[in-house]
């Protein structure tokens, strides 16, 4: 099963996170299938590759709680509903 989750990057006390599609059995820093965005909690910046996220969600990937909240703020799920109604 594939999950959309955060992968920690950056240095000590200055963490930034990549949002990645990764196999559930992999560890946090393990090899990811694809990078689909990043999140900087210090500067409160977010970049999401929405088509890639929608692709993985349509294939059955489950976002973690934090990734779900970030995606919800960016209104990714509204686009997912629009694509499903077509």
């Amino acid at each position: 099963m594939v999950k959309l989750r955060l992968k920690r990057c950056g240095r000590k006390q200055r963490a930034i996170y990549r949002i990645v599609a990764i196999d559930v059995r992999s560890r946090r820093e393990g090899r990811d299938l694809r990078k689909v965005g990043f999140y900087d909690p210090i500067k409160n910046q977010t970049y999401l590759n929405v088509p890639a996220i929608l692709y993985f969600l349509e294939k059955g990937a489950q976002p973690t709680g934090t990734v779900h909240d970030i995606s919800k703020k960016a209104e990714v799920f509204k686009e997912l509903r629009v694509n499903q109604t077509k």
Side-chain angles (χ1 to χ4, degrees):
M1 186 169 133
V2 175
K3 278 206 171 217
L4 296 174
R5 68 183 186 201
L6 298 175
K7 185 176 185 179
R8 191 177 196 275
C9 301
R11 59 179 202 245
K12 288 191 277 185
Q13 305 296 319
R14 295 280 304 162
I16 61 168
Y17 297 92
R18 285 190 178 140
I19 300 170
V20 296
I22 193 166
D23 188 22
V24 171
R25 296 166 291 188
S26 298
R27 29 190 197 114
R28 181 185 74 184
E29 309 304 334
R31 185 169 178 193
D32 50 65
L33 301 172
R34 186 165 178 194
K35 296 170 185 69
V36 294
F38 82 90
Y39 170 60
D40 186 350
I42 296 168
K43 295 180 182 176
N44 203 16
Q45 290 180 333
T46 305
Y47 168 76
L48 299 174
N49 184 350
V50 177
I53 291 173
L54 292 176
Y55 170 78
F56 281 108
L57 289 174
E58 287 170 358
K59 295 293 181 184
Q62 296 294 314
T64 60
T66 308
V67 173
H68 182 271
D69 293 342
I70 292 168
S71 302
K72 198 164 145 183
K73 263 190 212 174
E75 300 178 351
V76 170
F77 297 112
K78 287 184 182 176
E79 294 182 35
L80 181 64
R81 283 193 214 110
V82 169
N83 288 345
Q84 287 178 346
T85 57
K86 287 182 181 178

Coordinates of all heavy atoms in Angstrom, one line a residue:
M1 N 0.8 -1.2 0.0 CA 0.0 0.0 0.0 C 0.9 1.2 0.0 O 1.9 1.3 0.6 CB -0.9 0.0 1.2 CG -1.9 1.1 1.3 SD -3.1 0.8 2.6 CE -3.1 2.3 3.3
V2 N 0.4 2.2 -0.7 CA 1.2 3.5 -0.8 C 0.6 4.6 0.1 O -0.6 4.6 0.2 CB 1.2 4.0 -2.3 CG1 1.9 5.3 -2.4 CG2 1.9 3.0 -3.2
K3 N 1.4 5.3 0.7 CA 1.0 6.5 1.6 C 1.6 7.7 1.1 O 2.7 7.7 0.6 CB 1.3 6.2 3.0 CG 0.4 5.4 3.7 CD 0.4 5.7 5.2 CE -0.7 4.9 5.8 NZ -1.4 5.6 6.9
L4 N 0.9 8.8 1.3 CA 1.5 10.2 1.1 C 1.9 10.7 2.4 O 1.0 10.8 3.3 CB 0.5 11.1 0.4 CG 0.0 10.8 -0.9 CD1 -1.1 11.7 -1.4 CD2 1.1 10.8 -1.9
R5 N 3.2 10.8 2.7 CA 3.6 11.2 4.0 C 4.8 12.2 3.9 O 5.4 12.4 2.9 CB 3.9 10.0 4.9 CG 5.1 9.2 4.5 CD 5.1 8.0 5.4 NE 6.3 7.2 5.2 CZ 6.5 6.0 5.5 NH1 5.5 5.3 6.2 NH2 7.6 5.3 5.3
L6 N 5.2 12.7 5.1 CA 6.3 13.6 5.2 C 7.7 12.9 5.3 O 7.8 12.0 6.1 CB 6.1 14.6 6.3 CG 4.9 15.5 6.3 CD1 4.7 16.2 7.6 CD2 4.9 16.4 5.1
K7 N 8.7 13.5 4.7 CA 10.0 12.9 4.8 C 10.9 14.1 5.2 O 10.9 15.2 4.6 CB 10.5 12.5 3.4 CG 11.8 11.8 3.4 CD 12.1 11.3 2.0 CE 13.4 10.5 1.9 NZ 13.6 10.0 0.6
R8 N 11.6 13.9 6.4 CA 12.3 15.1 7.0 C 13.6 15.4 6.2 O 14.4 14.5 5.9 CB 12.6 14.7 8.4 CG 13.1 15.9 9.2 CD 13.4 15.5 10.7 NE 13.5 16.6 11.6 CZ 14.6 17.2 11.8 NH1 15.7 16.9 11.2 NH2 14.7 18.3 12.6
C9 N 13.8 16.6 6.0 CA 15.1 17.1 5.4 C 15.5 18.3 6.2 O 14.9 18.7 7.1 CB 14.8 17.5 3.9 SG 14.2 16.2 2.9
G10 N 16.6 18.9 5.7 CA 17.1 20.1 6.4 C 18.1 19.8 7.5 O 18.5 18.7 7.6
R11 N 18.4 20.8 8.3 CA 19.4 20.6 9.3 C 18.8 20.6 10.7 O 17.6 20.7 10.8 CB 20.5 21.6 9.3 CG 20.0 23.0 9.4 CD 21.2 24.0 9.4 NE 20.8 25.2 10.0 CZ 20.7 26.4 9.4 NH1 20.9 26.5 8.1 NH2 20.4 27.5 10.0
K12 N 19.6 20.4 11.7 CA 19.1 20.4 13.1 C 18.3 21.7 13.4 O 18.8 22.8 13.1 CB 20.2 20.2 14.1 CG 20.8 18.8 14.1 CD 21.7 18.6 15.3 CE 23.1 19.2 15.0 NZ 24.0 19.0 16.1
Q13 N 17.2 21.6 14.1 CA 16.4 22.7 14.5 C 15.8 23.5 13.3 O 15.2 24.5 13.5 CB 17.1 23.6 15.4 CG 17.7 22.9 16.7 CD 16.7 22.3 17.6 OE1 15.6 23.0 17.8 NE2 16.9 21.1 18.1
R14 N 16.0 23.1 12.1 CA 15.5 23.8 10.9 C 14.9 22.8 9.9 O 15.3 22.8 8.7 CB 16.7 24.6 10.2 CG 17.3 25.7 11.0 CD 16.5 27.0 11.0 NE 16.3 27.4 9.7 CZ 15.4 28.3 9.3 NH1 14.6 28.8 10.2 NH2 15.3 28.6 8.1
A15 N 14.1 22.0 10.4 CA 13.5 21.0 9.5 C 12.6 21.5 8.5 O 11.8 22.4 8.7 CB 12.7 20.0 10.4
I16 N 12.7 20.9 7.3 CA 11.7 21.1 6.2 C 11.3 19.7 5.8 O 12.0 18.7 6.1 CB 12.2 21.9 5.0 CG1 13.4 21.2 4.4 CG2 12.6 23.3 5.4 CD1 13.7 21.8 3.0
Y17 N 10.2 19.6 5.2 CA 9.7 18.2 4.9 C 9.3 18.1 3.5 O 8.7 19.0 2.9 CB 8.4 17.9 5.8 CG 8.7 17.9 7.2 CD1 8.6 19.0 8.0 CD2 9.1 16.7 7.8 CE1 8.8 19.0 9.4 CE2 9.4 16.7 9.2 CZ 9.2 17.8 10.0 OH 9.5 17.8 11.3
R18 N 9.7 17.0 2.8 CA 9.2 16.7 1.5 C 8.0 15.9 1.7 O 7.9 15.0 2.5 CB 10.3 15.9 0.7 CG 11.4 16.7 0.3 CD 12.3 15.9 -0.7 NE 13.4 16.7 -1.1 CZ 14.6 16.3 -1.3 NH1 14.9 15.0 -1.0 NH2 15.5 17.1 -1.7
I19 N 7.0 16.1 0.8 CA 5.8 15.3 0.8 C 6.1 14.3 -0.3 O 6.3 14.6 -1.5 CB 4.6 16.1 0.5 CG1 4.4 17.2 1.6 CG2 3.3 15.2 0.4 CD1 3.3 18.2 1.3
V20 N 6.0 13.0 0.1 CA 6.4 11.9 -0.9 C 5.4 10.8 -0.9 O 4.6 10.7 0.1 CB 7.8 11.3 -0.5 CG1 8.9 12.3 -0.6 CG2 7.8 10.7 0.9
A21 N 5.3 10.1 -2.0 CA 4.5 8.9 -2.1 C 5.5 7.8 -1.8 O 6.6 7.7 -2.5 CB 3.9 8.7 -3.5
I22 N 5.2 7.0 -0.8 CA 6.1 6.0 -0.3 C 5.4 4.7 0.1 O 4.2 4.8 0.5 CB 7.0 6.6 0.8 CG1 8.2 5.7 1.2 CG2 6.2 6.8 2.0 CD1 9.2 6.4 2.0
D23 N 6.0 3.6 0.0 CA 5.4 2.3 0.4 C 5.3 2.3 2.0 O 6.2 2.9 2.7 CB 6.3 1.2 0.0 CG 5.7 -0.2 0.2 OD1 4.5 -0.3 0.4 OD2 6.4 -1.2 0.3
V24 N 4.2 1.8 2.5 CA 4.0 1.8 3.9 C 5.1 1.1 4.7 O 5.4 1.5 5.8 CB 2.6 1.1 4.2 CG1 2.4 0.8 5.7 CG2 1.5 1.8 3.6
R25 N 5.7 0.1 4.1 CA 6.7 -0.7 4.9 C 8.1 0.0 5.0 O 8.9 -0.4 5.7 CB 6.9 -2.1 4.2 CG 5.6 -2.9 4.3 CD 5.6 -4.1 3.5 NE 5.6 -3.6 2.1 CZ 5.5 -4.4 1.0 NH1 5.4 -5.7 1.2 NH2 5.4 -3.9 -0.2
S26 N 8.2 1.1 4.2 CA 9.5 1.8 4.2 C 9.6 2.7 5.4 O 8.6 3.2 5.9 CB 9.6 2.7 3.0 OG 9.7 1.9 1.8
R27 N 10.8 3.0 5.9 CA 11.0 3.9 7.0 C 10.8 5.3 6.5 O 10.7 5.6 5.3 CB 12.3 3.7 7.7 CG 13.4 3.2 6.9 CD 14.7 2.8 7.6 NE 15.6 2.8 6.5 CZ 16.7 3.6 6.5 NH1 16.9 4.5 7.4 NH2 17.5 3.5 5.4
R28 N 10.8 6.3 7.5 CA 10.6 7.7 7.1 C 11.6 8.2 6.1 O 11.2 9.0 5.2 CB 10.6 8.5 8.4 CG 10.3 10.0 8.2 CD 10.5 10.8 9.5 NE 11.9 10.9 9.8 CZ 12.4 11.5 10.8 NH1 11.6 12.0 11.7 NH2 13.7 11.6 11.0
E29 N 12.8 7.9 6.3 CA 13.9 8.4 5.4 C 14.1 7.4 4.2 O 15.1 7.5 3.5 CB 15.2 8.6 6.1 CG 15.1 9.4 7.4 CD 14.5 10.8 7.2 OE1 14.6 11.3 6.1 OE2 13.9 11.3 8.1
G30 N 13.3 6.4 4.0 CA 13.5 5.4 3.0 C 13.3 5.9 1.6 O 13.0 7.1 1.4
R31 N 13.4 5.0 0.7 CA 13.3 5.4 -0.7 C 11.9 5.6 -1.1 O 11.0 4.8 -0.9 CB 13.9 4.3 -1.6 CG 13.9 4.6 -3.0 CD 14.7 3.6 -3.8 NE 14.7 4.0 -5.2 CZ 15.1 3.2 -6.2 NH1 15.6 2.0 -5.9 NH2 15.1 3.6 -7.4
D32 N 11.6 6.8 -1.7 CA 10.3 7.1 -2.1 C 10.0 6.8 -3.5 O 10.9 6.6 -4.3 CB 10.0 8.6 -1.8 CG 11.0 9.5 -2.4 OD1 11.1 9.5 -3.6 OD2 11.8 10.2 -1.7
L33 N 8.7 6.7 -3.8 CA 8.3 6.4 -5.2 C 8.3 7.7 -6.0 O 8.8 7.7 -7.2 CB 6.8 5.9 -5.2 CG 6.6 4.6 -4.5 CD1 5.1 4.2 -4.4 CD2 7.4 3.4 -5.1
R34 N 7.9 8.8 -5.4 CA 7.9 10.1 -6.1 C 7.8 11.2 -5.1 O 7.0 11.1 -4.1 CB 6.8 10.1 -7.1 CG 6.8 11.3 -8.0 CD 5.9 11.2 -9.1 NE 5.9 12.4 -9.9 CZ 5.0 12.6 -10.9 NH1 4.1 11.8 -11.1 NH2 5.1 13.8 -11.5
K35 N 8.4 12.3 -5.4 CA 8.3 13.5 -4.5 C 7.1 14.3 -5.1 O 7.1 14.6 -6.3 CB 9.6 14.3 -4.6 CG 10.8 13.6 -4.0 CD 12.0 14.4 -4.2 CE 13.2 13.7 -3.7 NZ 13.5 12.4 -4.5
V36 N 6.2 14.7 -4.3 CA 5.0 15.4 -4.8 C 4.8 16.8 -4.1 O 3.8 17.4 -4.3 CB 3.7 14.5 -4.5 CG1 3.8 13.3 -5.4 CG2 3.5 14.2 -3.1
G37 N 5.8 17.2 -3.4 CA 5.7 18.6 -2.8 C 6.7 18.7 -1.6 O 7.4 17.9 -1.3
F38 N 6.6 19.9 -1.0 CA 7.4 20.2 0.2 C 6.6 21.1 1.1 O 5.7 21.8 0.7 CB 8.8 20.7 -0.1 CG 8.8 22.2 -0.3 CD1 9.0 23.0 0.7 CD2 8.7 22.7 -1.6 CE1 9.1 24.4 0.5 CE2 8.8 24.1 -1.8 CZ 9.0 24.9 -0.7
Y39 N 7.0 21.0 2.4 CA 6.3 21.8 3.4 C 7.4 22.4 4.4 O 8.2 21.6 4.9 CB 5.3 21.0 4.2 CG 4.8 21.6 5.4 CD1 4.1 22.8 5.4 CD2 4.9 21.0 6.7 CE1 3.5 23.3 6.5 CE2 4.4 21.6 7.8 CZ 3.7 22.7 7.7 OH 3.2 23.3 8.9
D40 N 7.4 23.7 4.6 CA 8.4 24.3 5.5 C 7.5 24.9 6.6 O 6.9 26.0 6.5 CB 9.1 25.4 4.8 CG 10.2 26.0 5.6 OD1 10.3 25.8 6.9 OD2 11.0 26.8 5.1
P41 N 7.5 24.3 7.8 CA 6.7 24.8 8.9 C 7.2 26.1 9.5 O 6.5 26.8 10.1 CB 6.7 23.6 9.9 CG 8.0 22.9 9.6 CD 8.2 23.0 8.2
I42 N 8.5 26.4 9.4 CA 9.1 27.6 10.0 C 8.6 28.8 9.2 O 8.2 29.8 9.7 CB 10.6 27.5 10.0 CG1 11.0 26.3 11.0 CG2 11.2 28.8 10.5 CD1 12.4 25.9 10.9
K43 N 8.8 28.8 7.9 CA 8.3 29.9 7.0 C 6.8 29.7 6.6 O 6.3 30.6 6.0 CB 9.2 29.9 5.7 CG 10.6 30.3 6.0 CD 11.4 30.3 4.7 CE 12.9 30.6 5.0 NZ 13.6 30.5 3.7
N44 N 6.3 28.6 6.9 CA 4.9 28.3 6.6 C 4.6 28.3 5.1 O 3.7 28.9 4.6 CB 3.9 29.2 7.3 CG 2.5 28.6 7.4 OD1 2.4 27.4 7.3 ND2 1.6 29.4 7.8
Q45 N 5.6 27.7 4.4 CA 5.5 27.6 2.9 C 5.1 26.2 2.5 O 5.6 25.3 3.1 CB 6.8 28.0 2.2 CG 7.2 29.4 2.3 CD 8.5 29.7 1.7 OE1 9.4 28.8 1.6 NE2 8.7 30.9 1.2
T46 N 4.3 26.1 1.4 CA 4.0 24.8 0.9 C 4.0 24.8 -0.6 O 3.5 25.8 -1.2 CB 2.5 24.5 1.4 OG1 2.5 24.6 2.8 CG2 2.2 23.1 1.0
Y47 N 4.5 23.8 -1.2 CA 4.4 23.6 -2.6 C 3.9 22.2 -2.8 O 4.4 21.2 -2.3 CB 5.8 23.7 -3.3 CG 5.7 23.2 -4.7 CD1 5.1 24.0 -5.7 CD2 6.2 22.0 -5.1 CE1 5.0 23.6 -7.0 CE2 6.1 21.5 -6.4 CZ 5.5 22.3 -7.4 OH 5.4 21.9 -8.6
L48 N 2.8 22.1 -3.6 CA 2.2 20.8 -3.9 C 2.1 20.6 -5.4 O 1.7 21.5 -6.2 CB 0.8 20.7 -3.4 CG 0.7 20.8 -1.8 CD1 -0.8 20.9 -1.4 CD2 1.4 19.7 -1.1
N49 N 2.5 19.4 -5.9 CA 2.4 19.0 -7.3 C 1.0 18.4 -7.4 O 0.9 17.2 -7.2 CB 3.5 18.1 -7.7 CG 3.4 17.7 -9.2 OD1 2.4 18.0 -9.8 ND2 4.5 17.0 -9.6
V50 N 0.0 19.1 -7.6 CA -1.4 18.7 -7.5 C -1.7 17.5 -8.4 O -2.3 16.6 -8.0 CB -2.4 19.9 -7.7 CG1 -3.8 19.4 -7.6 CG2 -2.2 20.9 -6.6
P51 N -1.3 17.6 -9.7 CA -1.6 16.4 -10.6 C -1.0 15.1 -10.1 O -1.6 14.1 -10.2 CB -1.0 16.8 -11.9 CG -0.9 18.3 -11.9 CD -0.7 18.7 -10.5
A52 N 0.2 15.2 -9.5 CA 0.8 14.0 -9.0 C 0.1 13.5 -7.8 O -0.1 12.2 -7.6 CB 2.3 14.2 -8.7
I53 N -0.3 14.4 -6.9 CA -1.1 14.0 -5.7 C -2.4 13.4 -6.1 O -2.8 12.3 -5.6 CB -1.3 15.2 -4.8 CG1 0.0 15.6 -4.2 CG2 -2.3 14.9 -3.7 CD1 0.0 16.9 -3.4
L54 N -3.1 14.0 -7.0 CA -4.4 13.4 -7.5 C -4.2 12.0 -8.1 O -5.0 11.2 -7.9 CB -5.0 14.4 -8.5 CG -5.5 15.7 -7.9 CD1 -6.1 16.6 -9.0 CD2 -6.6 15.5 -6.9
Y55 N -3.1 11.9 -8.9 CA -2.8 10.6 -9.5 C -2.7 9.5 -8.4 O -3.4 8.4 -8.5 CB -1.6 10.6 -10.3 CG -1.1 9.3 -10.7 CD1 -1.7 8.6 -11.8 CD2 0.0 8.6 -10.1 CE1 -1.2 7.4 -12.3 CE2 0.4 7.4 -10.5 CZ -0.2 6.8 -11.6 OH 0.3 5.5 -12.0
F56 N -1.9 9.7 -7.3 CA -1.8 8.7 -6.3 C -3.0 8.5 -5.5 O -3.3 7.4 -5.1 CB -0.6 9.1 -5.4 CG 0.8 8.8 -6.0 CD1 1.6 9.8 -6.4 CD2 1.2 7.5 -6.1 CE1 2.8 9.5 -7.0 CE2 2.4 7.2 -6.7 CZ 3.2 8.2 -7.1
L57 N -3.8 9.6 -5.2 CA -5.1 9.4 -4.5 C -6.1 8.6 -5.3 O -6.8 7.8 -4.7 CB -5.7 10.8 -4.2 CG -4.9 11.6 -3.1 CD1 -5.5 13.0 -3.0 CD2 -4.9 10.9 -1.8
E58 N -6.1 8.8 -6.6 CA -7.0 8.0 -7.4 C -6.6 6.5 -7.5 O -7.4 5.6 -7.7 CB -7.0 8.6 -8.9 CG -7.8 9.9 -8.9 CD -7.7 10.6 -10.3 OE1 -6.9 10.1 -11.2 OE2 -8.3 11.6 -10.4
K59 N -5.3 6.3 -7.3 CA -4.8 4.9 -7.3 C -4.9 4.2 -6.0 O -4.6 3.1 -5.8 CB -3.3 4.8 -7.7 CG -3.0 5.3 -9.1 CD -3.6 4.3 -10.1 CE -3.3 4.8 -11.5 NZ -3.9 3.9 -12.5
G60 N -5.4 5.0 -5.0 CA -5.7 4.4 -3.7 C -4.7 4.7 -2.6 O -4.7 4.1 -1.5
A61 N -3.8 5.7 -2.8 CA -2.9 6.1 -1.8 C -3.6 6.8 -0.6 O -4.6 7.5 -0.8 CB -1.8 7.0 -2.3
Q62 N -3.1 6.5 0.6 CA -3.8 7.1 1.8 C -2.8 8.2 2.3 O -1.7 7.9 2.6 CB -4.0 6.1 2.9 CG -4.9 5.0 2.5 CD -6.3 5.5 2.3 OE1 -6.8 6.3 3.1 NE2 -7.0 5.2 1.2
P63 N -3.3 9.5 2.5 CA -2.5 10.5 3.1 C -2.4 10.4 4.6 O -3.4 9.9 5.2 CB -3.1 11.8 2.7 CG -4.6 11.4 2.5 CD -4.6 10.0 2.0
T64 N -1.3 10.7 5.2 CA -1.2 10.7 6.7 C -2.0 11.9 7.2 O -2.5 12.8 6.4 CB 0.2 10.8 7.2 OG1 0.8 12.0 6.7 CG2 1.0 9.6 6.8
G65 N -2.2 12.0 8.5 CA -3.0 13.1 9.0 C -2.5 14.5 8.6 O -3.2 15.4 8.2
T66 N -1.2 14.7 8.8 CA -0.6 16.0 8.5 C -0.7 16.3 7.0 O -1.0 17.5 6.6 CB 0.9 16.1 8.9 OG1 1.0 15.6 10.3 CG2 1.5 17.4 8.8
V67 N -0.4 15.4 6.2 CA -0.5 15.6 4.7 C -1.9 15.9 4.3 O -2.2 16.7 3.4 CB 0.1 14.4 3.9 CG1 -0.1 14.5 2.4 CG2 1.6 14.3 4.2
H68 N -2.8 15.2 5.0 CA -4.3 15.4 4.7 C -4.6 16.9 5.0 O -5.3 17.5 4.2 CB -5.1 14.5 5.5 CG -6.6 14.6 5.3 ND1 -7.4 15.4 6.0 CD2 -7.4 14.0 4.4 CE1 -8.6 15.4 5.5 NE2 -8.6 14.5 4.6
D69 N -4.2 17.4 6.2 CA -4.4 18.7 6.6 C -3.8 19.8 5.6 O -4.5 20.7 5.2 CB -4.0 19.0 8.0 CG -4.7 18.2 9.0 OD1 -5.8 17.7 8.7 OD2 -4.2 18.1 10.1
I70 N -2.6 19.5 5.2 CA -1.9 20.4 4.2 C -2.7 20.4 2.9 O -2.9 21.5 2.3 CB -0.5 20.0 4.0 CG1 0.3 20.2 5.3 CG2 0.2 20.7 2.9 CD1 1.7 19.6 5.3
S71 N -3.1 19.2 2.4 CA -3.8 19.1 1.2 C -5.2 19.8 1.3 O -5.7 20.4 0.3 CB -4.0 17.7 0.8 OG -2.7 17.0 0.7
K72 N -5.8 19.7 2.4 CA -7.1 20.3 2.6 C -7.0 21.8 2.5 O -7.9 22.4 1.9 CB -7.6 19.8 4.0 CG -9.1 20.0 4.2 CD -9.5 19.1 5.4 CE -10.6 19.8 6.1 NZ -10.9 19.1 7.3
K73 N -6.0 22.3 3.1 CA -5.8 23.8 3.1 C -5.6 24.3 1.6 O -6.0 25.3 1.2 CB -4.5 24.2 3.8 CG -4.8 24.7 5.2 CD -3.5 25.3 5.8 CE -3.5 25.0 7.3 NZ -2.3 25.4 7.9
A74 N -4.9 23.4 0.8 CA -4.7 23.8 -0.6 C -5.8 23.4 -1.5 O -5.7 23.6 -2.7 CB -3.4 23.1 -1.1
E75 N -6.9 22.9 -0.9 CA -8.1 22.5 -1.6 C -7.9 21.5 -2.7 O -8.5 21.5 -3.8 CB -8.8 23.7 -2.2 CG -9.2 24.7 -1.1 CD -9.8 26.0 -1.7 OE1 -9.8 26.2 -2.9 OE2 -10.4 26.8 -0.9
V76 N -7.0 20.5 -2.4 CA -6.7 19.4 -3.4 C -7.9 18.5 -3.5 O -8.2 18.0 -4.6 CB -5.5 18.6 -2.9 CG1 -5.3 17.4 -3.7 CG2 -4.2 19.5 -3.0
F77 N -8.6 18.3 -2.4 CA -9.7 17.3 -2.4 C -10.9 17.8 -3.2 O -11.7 17.0 -3.7 CB -10.1 16.9 -1.0 CG -9.0 16.3 -0.2 CD1 -8.4 16.9 0.8 CD2 -8.6 15.0 -0.6 CE1 -7.3 16.3 1.5 CE2 -7.5 14.4 0.0 CZ -6.9 15.0 1.1
K78 N -11.1 19.1 -3.3 CA -12.1 19.7 -4.2 C -11.9 19.3 -5.6 O -12.8 19.0 -6.4 CB -12.2 21.2 -4.0 CG -12.8 21.6 -2.7 CD -13.0 23.1 -2.7 CE -13.5 23.6 -1.3 NZ -13.6 25.0 -1.2
E79 N -10.6 19.4 -6.0 CA -10.2 19.0 -7.4 C -10.4 17.5 -7.6 O -10.8 17.1 -8.7 CB -8.8 19.4 -7.7 CG -8.6 20.9 -7.7 CD -7.2 21.3 -8.0 OE1 -6.6 20.6 -8.9 OE2 -6.7 22.3 -7.5
L80 N -10.2 16.7 -6.6 CA -10.4 15.3 -6.7 C -11.8 15.0 -6.9 O -12.2 14.2 -7.8 CB -9.9 14.6 -5.4 CG -10.0 13.1 -5.4 CD1 -9.1 12.4 -6.5 CD2 -9.6 12.5 -4.0
R81 N -12.7 15.6 -6.2 CA -14.2 15.4 -6.4 C -14.6 15.9 -7.8 O -15.5 15.2 -8.4 CB -15.0 16.2 -5.3 CG -14.9 15.5 -4.0 CD -16.0 16.1 -3.0 NE -15.4 16.0 -1.7 CZ -15.0 17.0 -1.0 NH1 -15.1 18.3 -1.4 NH2 -14.5 16.9 0.2
V82 N -14.1 17.0 -8.3 CA -14.5 17.5 -9.6 C -14.0 16.4 -10.6 O -14.8 16.1 -11.6 CB -13.8 18.8 -9.9 CG1 -13.9 19.2 -11.3 CG2 -14.4 19.9 -9.0
N83 N -12.9 15.8 -10.5 CA -12.4 14.8 -11.5 C -13.2 13.6 -11.4 O -13.4 12.9 -12.4 CB -10.9 14.5 -11.2 CG -10.0 15.6 -11.6 OD1 -10.4 16.5 -12.3 ND2 -8.8 15.5 -11.2
Q84 N -13.7 13.2 -10.2 CA -14.5 12.0 -10.1 C -15.9 12.1 -10.6 O -16.5 11.2 -11.1 CB -14.6 11.6 -8.6 CG -13.3 11.0 -8.1 CD -13.4 10.7 -6.6 OE1 -14.3 11.0 -5.9 NE2 -12.4 9.9 -6.1
T85 N -16.5 13.4 -10.7 CA -17.8 13.6 -11.2 C -17.9 13.6 -12.7 O -18.9 13.5 -13.3 CB -18.4 14.9 -10.6 OG1 -17.6 16.0 -11.0 CG2 -18.6 14.8 -9.1
K86 N -16.7 13.7 -13.4 CA -16.7 13.8 -14.8 C -17.0 12.4 -15.4 O -16.7 11.4 -14.9 CB -15.3 14.2 -15.3 CG -15.1 15.7 -15.1 CD -13.8 16.2 -15.6 CE -13.6 17.6 -15.4 NZ -12.3 18.1 -15.9

